[in-house]
């Protein structure tokens, strides 16, 4: 699965609070008509529907999101075959729009922010498979030998996918895993790691399980902190250099927040300072908890 970051476009959009909630009502549904969520703002500027924010009701009853799709660029509503409302039904759509940022823009900044977060924390907060090779003859030394029988890797190891020592495959079920250490046992085909003079290849799945049910309570806390930190660092990148992705963004544009207050200019220093302070606090929490798990 391709990594897309720790938060979603909807979560980042709501965190930034740069957009507005909209309501679109179909008073009397007609199956022969094609409907579009209105995207033009009050000042005739184009906005974009943010992925993950659309909900719909039929006569006040929530409609299954799988019954329809929305084109986030055009606002077009498409119903699944056999799932269309009945003629005359009253349908209400609630959705969130942003001006100047598309879903692609938000995803771009989310992924940039996630990469920066992992670099700053020197850790990943997701399930990831990586390969490590040590070959003293070629000058590679990517694995730390904790002892003759134990390798120490940079991250917590969930499982070993493959291990080869000087050309001999080692059965991964014979290995002992504890935190970020992988050890040979008496049942392993090779009794000792050969050290830096020869070659060791290992492929491991590490980090935090993608499935929430497989995580510990502390790992769930890490994921929650990572999501908040991802939103902060993505916001910093957007505010610090908003034209890096979308050159049509107008920095002088002032909108009203959902709570009624007015959002200041995108690049105002106090906004950046607030996000940066929160990011550093979250980063410290991530490093502290992750250090305990290792």
């Amino acid at each position: 699965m391709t990594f897309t970051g720790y938060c979603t476009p909807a979560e980042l959009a709501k965190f930034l609070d740069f957009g507005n909630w909209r309501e679109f009502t179909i008073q009397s549904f007609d199956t022969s008509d094609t409907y579009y969520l209105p995207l033009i703002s009050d000042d005739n500027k184009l906005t974009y529907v943010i992925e993950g924010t659309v909900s719909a009701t039929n006569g006040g009853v929530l409609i299954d999101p799988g019954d329809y799709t929305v084109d986030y660029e055009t606002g077009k509503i498409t119903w699944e075959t056999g799932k269309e409302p009945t003629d005359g039904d009253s349908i209400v759509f609630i959705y969130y729009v942003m001006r100047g940022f598309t879903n692609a823009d938000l995803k771009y900044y989310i992924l940039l922010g996630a990469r920066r977060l992992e670099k700053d924390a020197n850790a990943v907060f997701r399930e990831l498979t990586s390969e490590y090779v040590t070959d003293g003859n070629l000058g590679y030394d990517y694995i730390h030998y904790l002892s003759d029988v134990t390798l120490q890797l940079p991250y917590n190891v969930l499982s070993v996918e493959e291990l080869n020592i000087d050309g001999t495959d080692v059965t991964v079920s014979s290995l002992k895993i504890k935190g970020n250490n992988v050890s040979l046992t008496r049942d392993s085909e090779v009794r000792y790691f050969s050290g830096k003079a020869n070659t060791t290849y290992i492929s491991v799945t590490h980090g935090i399980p993608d499935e929430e049910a497989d995580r510990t309570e502390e790992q769930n806390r890490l994921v929650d902190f990572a999501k908040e930190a991802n939103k902060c660092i993505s916001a910093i990148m957007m505010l610090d250099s908003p034209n890096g992705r979308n050159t049509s963004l107008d920095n002088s544009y002032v909108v009203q927040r959902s709570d009624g207050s007015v959002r200041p200019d995108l690049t105002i220093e106090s906004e950046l300072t607030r996000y940066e302070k929160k990011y550093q606090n979250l980063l410290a929490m991530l490093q502290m908890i992750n250090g305990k798990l290792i």
Side-chain angles (χ1 to χ4, degrees):
M1 182 182 296
T2 303
F3 179 55
T4 57
Y6 295 105
C7 64
T8 65
E11 289 167 337
L12 179 57
K14 295 173 186 177
F15 176 75
L16 290 165
D17 200 10
F18 287 177
N20 302 96
W21 286 101
R22 295 274 186 83
E23 181 177 306
F24 172 58
T25 301
I26 304 172
Q27 297 289 359
S28 181
F29 185 82
D30 188 334
T31 52
S32 63
D33 286 346
T34 301
Y35 296 96
Y36 291 80
L37 297 180
L39 299 181
I40 302 300
S41 64
D42 294 338
D43 57 355
N44 293 320
K45 299 294 184 179
L46 179 64
T47 61
Y48 302 94
V49 180
I50 301 304
E51 179 181 329
T53 66
V54 181
S55 63
T57 56
N58 184 345
V61 178
L62 185 66
I63 300 174
D64 188 329
D67 291 356
Y68 61 91
T69 57
V70 173
D71 187 314
Y72 300 116
E73 300 293 321
T74 67
K76 183 180 179 181
I77 303 165
T78 302
W79 298 90
E80 295 295 320
T81 303
K83 300 294 185 179
E84 304 90 345
T86 304
D87 284 351
D89 284 352
S90 177
I91 311 298
V92 178
F93 281 89
I94 303 294
Y95 59 106
Y96 193 83
V97 296
M98 288 184 71
R99 173 184 161 185
F101 291 103
T102 67
N103 287 286
D105 294 325
L106 293 176
K107 290 176 181 178
Y108 170 82
Y109 281 107
I110 288 170
L111 188 55
L112 282 184
R115 299 297 191 195
R116 170 69 181 276
L117 169 61
E118 291 181 345
K119 180 180 178 181
D120 290 347
N122 192 29
V124 295
F125 310 101
R126 55 191 169 103
E127 193 171 307
L128 184 68
T129 298
S130 299
E131 298 177 352
Y132 298 88
V133 179
T134 289
D135 190 331
N137 298 317
L138 297 178
Y140 302 148
D141 185 16
Y142 299 152
I143 302 173
H144 176 62
Y145 290 88
L146 193 61
S147 70
D148 289 339
V149 296
T150 301
L151 292 178
Q152 188 176 70
L153 298 169
Y155 307 116
N156 287 331
V157 177
L158 299 176
S159 62
V160 176
E161 311 306 323
E162 186 178 351
L163 173 62
N164 184 285
I165 301 175
D166 286 339
T168 300
D169 289 329
V170 177
T171 304
V172 295
S173 60
S174 72
L175 302 172
K176 180 180 179 181
I177 300 172
K178 183 177 181 181
N180 59 336
N181 296 328
V182 176
S183 301
L184 298 167
T185 68
R186 292 181 178 180
D187 296 328
S188 300
E189 286 83 352
V190 179
R191 297 299 299 273
Y192 303 101
F193 287 109
S194 53
K196 298 179 181 179
N198 296 299
T199 304
T200 297
Y201 165 83
I202 188 169
S203 173
V204 298
T205 298
H206 58 90
I208 295 176
D210 288 334
E211 294 295 328
E212 187 173 348
D214 295 333
R215 301 177 196 152
T216 64
E217 183 177 342
E218 285 195 318
Q219 286 175 331
N220 276 321
R221 288 179 63 201
L222 276 173
V223 173
D224 289 339
F225 280 126
K227 178 187 294 186
E228 292 302 309
N230 198 166
K231 289 188 285 189
C232 284
I233 191 61
S234 296
I236 291 168
M237 291 178 167
M238 292 172 71
L239 300 182
D240 197 31
S241 182
N243 288 343
R245 173 68 179 179
N246 193 328
T247 56
S248 66
L249 181 65
D250 178 4
N251 284 344
S252 65
Y253 181 56
V254 176
V255 298
Q256 193 174 39
R257 295 180 188 266
S258 56
D259 64 1
S261 62
V262 174
R263 174 185 60 77
D265 188 271
L266 288 176
T267 57
I268 193 167
E269 188 174 348
S270 62
E271 291 282 280
L272 282 171
T273 301
R274 180 166 62 88
Y275 290 133
E276 286 169 351
K277 184 176 181 180
K278 184 174 181 181
Y279 176 66
Q280 292 302 323
N281 289 337
L282 289 166
L283 192 61
M285 292 298 296
L286 285 167
Q287 292 169 331
M288 181 182 70
I289 299 173
N290 195 55
K292 291 180 180 179
L293 293 180
I294 294 175

